[in-house]
Amino acid sequence: MELLIAALFGLAVYGVFHGIRLYRADAKLPADLAVALEVGASRTTAAGSAIDRLGMRYAPSVLRVMGPKRVDKVRRKLDMAGNPNGMTIDRYAARVAVYAGLGSLTSLSMLMNGQVMLAILFFVYGIFWTDVTIKSAMDRRKADIERTLPDFLDVLAVVVSAGLGFRQALERVAEKYAGPWADELRITLRQMDMGVSRRDAFEQLRKRNESEQVSMFVSALQQGEELGAPIVDTLIQIANDMRRTDAQKARQRASKAVPKATMIVTSFMLPGTMILIGVGFYYASGVDFNDLLGG
């Protein structure tokens, strides 16, 4: 049975690489992928750059296999993650090719040794590891933006109240900040410079960030613009609402942490402590259980 499973995995691995070779048709690296590889090399680690160079020749084939819808979905995730370590859609495809190949080969070797669970684990790792790293980067970026946004709005309100227009104040404050939120604002400002309306630019800002606070910020700005409300009052109200939301989320996390800690204590620490106390009493008492049991 194990030999049959190993043979099936071997055929699957062969099919993947054979399909990639058929899709390649030409081993020459396209010019746009070569540029992406060289530019991204200055933003990623040495190990990441080596992996990208190893798999970049297979990137066009992986993108064809993924299809346009899947490519668009991954590209949106990369935008929301802020292109971590210079990752583009081409570099994503290169890493998928390398990790999938290594995971498949490792799974095949595990199957030949009879380690079915390890084989499944390595295969899943090879297929999904790149997506896991992107999801982790998305969560970190979202947390950074939500932590920065209330203070940013307070400073923006002060600058606007000093007499600058909203657009000039936004650009002035964005220059003083660093991080993902400042990057998002610079993208929005450049879009407005290229002729995109303020409403459309901020709507695209909302789409690039799956954050409740960013959505609240954009909605409040649009409503304030439609109703003619003072922008300073709107910014201060948004900042206060965000801090109130953060406090509620913190209380919810704290309330969920207590049952988890209790479960860990009752499931692991309490039994271990009781065993330790019992063993201590046994050795300290010097009782011989053979005598008590009549042995």
Side-chain angles (χ1 to χ4, degrees):
M1 184 62 183
E2 293 176 354
L3 292 177
L4 178 60
I5 297 176
L8 291 176
F9 262 87
L11 289 175
V13 174
Y14 173 77
V16 170
F17 283 100
H18 183 65
I20 287 177
R21 283 200 299 270
L22 291 178
Y23 271 123
R24 280 179 61 193
D26 186 359
K28 185 178 179 181
L29 195 65
D32 55 343
L33 298 184
V35 171
L37 189 64
E38 293 301 327
V39 172
S42 62
R43 298 179 59 188
T44 188
T45 61
S49 179
I51 293 173
D52 293 338
R53 292 179 182 278
L54 181 62
M56 189 60 77
R57 66 182 62 187
Y58 303 104
S61 305
V62 174
L63 293 176
R64 293 191 194 100
V65 173
M66 290 171 58
K69 292 184 179 179
R70 172 66 177 167
V71 169
D72 291 340
K73 185 177 180 180
V74 172
R75 184 177 284 113
R76 185 169 182 270
K77 288 184 178 180
L78 289 173
D79 290 339
M80 290 189 293
N83 298 97
N85 294 325
M87 184 177 292
T88 62
I89 187 64
D90 300 314
R91 298 169 74 85
Y92 167 85
R95 297 194 182 191
V96 167
V98 173
Y99 289 137
L102 292 177
S104 300
L105 292 176
T106 306
S107 297
L108 181 59
S109 65
M110 292 294 104
L111 279 177
M112 295 179 66
N113 291 328
Q115 303 291 334
V116 179
M117 294 303 298
L118 285 178
I120 296 174
L121 180 63
F122 278 110
F123 185 75
V124 172
Y125 163 82
I127 297 297
F128 295 106
W129 177 246
T130 308
D131 294 281
V132 171
T133 58
I134 294 175
K135 182 62 169 60
S136 177
M138 288 171 57
D139 293 339
R140 289 196 304 269
R141 192 167 190 269
K142 179 181 176 181
D144 290 340
I145 289 176
E146 291 183 347
R147 185 176 60 252
T148 306
L149 193 50
D151 293 336
F152 175 87
L153 294 178
D154 286 338
V155 177
L156 183 62
V158 172
V159 176
V160 171
S161 62
L164 284 180
F166 177 75
R167 167 65 191 280
Q168 290 77 15
L170 192 66
E171 189 166 2
R172 180 72 61 86
V173 178
E175 292 176 354
K176 303 300 181 182
Y177 274 78
W181 179 240
D183 295 338
E184 288 291 343
L185 288 177
R186 293 186 186 101
I187 293 173
T188 302
L189 290 170
R190 296 294 81 78
Q191 288 176 334
M192 294 167 65
D193 289 338
M194 296 174 64
V196 180
S197 65
R198 190 170 88 175
R199 185 180 185 86
D200 292 339
F202 277 98
E203 191 62 36
Q204 293 181 28
L205 172 66
R206 189 211 303 267
K207 292 180 179 179
R208 288 195 304 269
N209 297 274
E210 288 188 347
S211 170
E212 182 180 350
Q213 293 191 358
V214 174
S215 179
M216 185 190 306
F217 167 63
V218 175
S219 298
L221 284 181
Q222 292 175 349
Q223 292 175 2
E225 185 177 3
E226 292 174 356
L227 300 175
I231 189 64
V232 175
D233 296 339
T234 302
L235 294 174
I236 294 175
Q237 183 63 39
I238 297 172
N240 292 333
D241 291 341
M242 288 180 181
R243 290 191 175 94
R244 192 177 302 111
T245 302
D246 287 340
Q248 292 175 353
K249 289 181 178 179
R251 285 193 293 268
Q252 291 175 357
R253 288 193 296 267
S255 64
K256 293 179 180 179
V258 173
K260 293 179 180 179
T262 304
M263 184 184 67
I264 293 175
V265 170
T266 56
S267 300
F268 299 100
M269 297 183 64
L270 183 59
T273 303
M274 296 300 295
I275 293 173
L276 182 62
I277 293 174
V279 172
F281 275 124
Y282 168 71
Y283 281 105
S285 63
V287 175
D288 190 351
F289 281 97
N290 290 326
D291 294 338
L292 292 177
L293 298 175

